[in-house]
Amino acid sequence: MRVEVLPADSWAEAVADAFNDRLGTSGLRICLATGATPIPVYGRLPANALAMSTVFLLDEFGELAIGHPGRCETMLRTALLDRVPAAEFHFPDVDALDLEAECGRYRDLISDGGLDLAVLGLGTNGHLGLNEPGSTADQATRVVELTEETREGARKYGADPPPTWGVAVGLAEIFAAREVWLLVTGSAKADVLAQVVSGPLTDQIPATVLRTHPNAVIWADGNAASLL
Ligand code: PGA
């Protein structure tokens, strides 16, 4: 795992440049996180950046109406895809009657061809996507129950009352990605980032699994990296 620490005031621009370079002109199969962290990066990508790429949504909350601003699909469209359209965009249908079958469909869609790059955020509880503490590296895309901390976090996206469950692309699909980027900013993430980088390898902090990934990069700003 490589750790890139960048000054907070130029972090978004530097990561957006690196992302745009990585996307190149031939396009990638990428899984993208929502949440507050990647928004300034997404906002700096040129309009044609994803024209050749296939985008998979990393996770989705249940219990929110289609189009709700707190829904991850809505967030990714608003923050990125409405302005920077992708060649293809896929997401799990959390309103499907048979959720288990839907998770299987989404998992197969991702696994058949795999991911070139997964761009992730880090929860203050160490989660990756909605893979909450206790998630294991062999778990595939599935319905997950949300922790109180994640539910509280969902409030800042306008989900009130916050959902109790969601669909998470599993650590298995994330770990199988050829490259994983973890974006981490702000002093509120300093403690957990220090755990991810040098604490014990534990399912209780799912992001520690990235330490064993052959090609994982942490893009941290100086505030998040203050305890490294
Ligand atoms: P944030 O969320 O980017 O809004 O801090 C990250 C996460 O909880 O995965």
Side-chain angles (χ1 to χ4, degrees):
M1 187 171 69
R2 199 172 95 224
V3 184
E4 296 276 352
V5 179
L6 300 160
D9 57 359
S10 56
W11 177 86
E13 202 173 335
V15 177
D17 284 350
F19 190 16
N20 194 37
D21 286 351
R22 185 69 189 80
L23 286 163
T25 50
S26 53
L28 301 177
R29 288 169 60 87
I30 49 177
C31 187
L32 294 181
T34 52
T37 308
I39 287 179
V41 173
Y42 294 161
R44 284 170 171 81
L45 287 180
N48 63 354
L50 297 172
M52 303 296 286
S53 288
T54 298
V55 170
F56 297 92
L57 186 65
L58 176 66
D59 44 31
E60 185 57 283
F61 293 125
E63 298 168 0
L64 302 179
I66 292 172
H68 189 290
R71 226 162 129 134
C72 299
E73 179 200 344
T74 317
M75 286 196 267
L76 194 62
R77 289 188 192 279
T78 308
L80 181 65
L81 299 175
D82 287 350
R83 186 183 64 79
V84 186
E88 287 181 42
F89 175 42
H90 300 284
F91 49 89
D93 176 9
V94 287
D95 301 304
L97 286 180
D98 185 344
L99 268 177
E100 207 173 308
E102 173 58 11
C103 289
R105 179 197 71 85
Y106 196 54
R107 177 202 59 217
D108 290 348
L109 203 58
I110 291 173
S111 300
D112 185 12
L115 296 168
D116 297 304
L117 175 65
V119 178
L120 312 174
L122 177 64
T124 48
N125 64 358
H127 73 194
L128 283 183
L130 293 177
N131 292 284
E132 300 282 34
S135 299
T136 54
D138 59 348
Q139 282 177 317
T141 299
R142 67 204 184 286
V143 175
V144 292
E145 205 176 302
L146 304 184
T147 60
E148 278 310 312
E149 200 165 344
T150 298
R151 297 189 70 220
E152 276 313 305
R155 281 187 205 275
K156 75 183 177 199
Y157 314 136
D160 196 6
T164 58
W165 61 272
V167 167
V169 170
L171 292 179
E173 286 81 49
I174 291 172
F175 197 82
R178 290 175 264 286
E179 193 169 347
V180 179
W181 289 10
L182 184 64
L183 311 189
V184 194
T185 57
S187 52
K189 304 274 176 75
D191 276 329
V192 70
L193 184 59
Q195 293 293 315
V196 170
V197 172
S198 50
L201 288 174
T202 170
D203 295 345
Q204 291 310 308
I205 302 184
T208 58
V209 74
L210 297 181
R211 296 233 295 272
T212 56
H213 189 279
N215 194 1
V217 184
I218 294 180
W219 297 91
D221 77 356
N223 298 324
S226 62
L227 299 178
L228 299 185

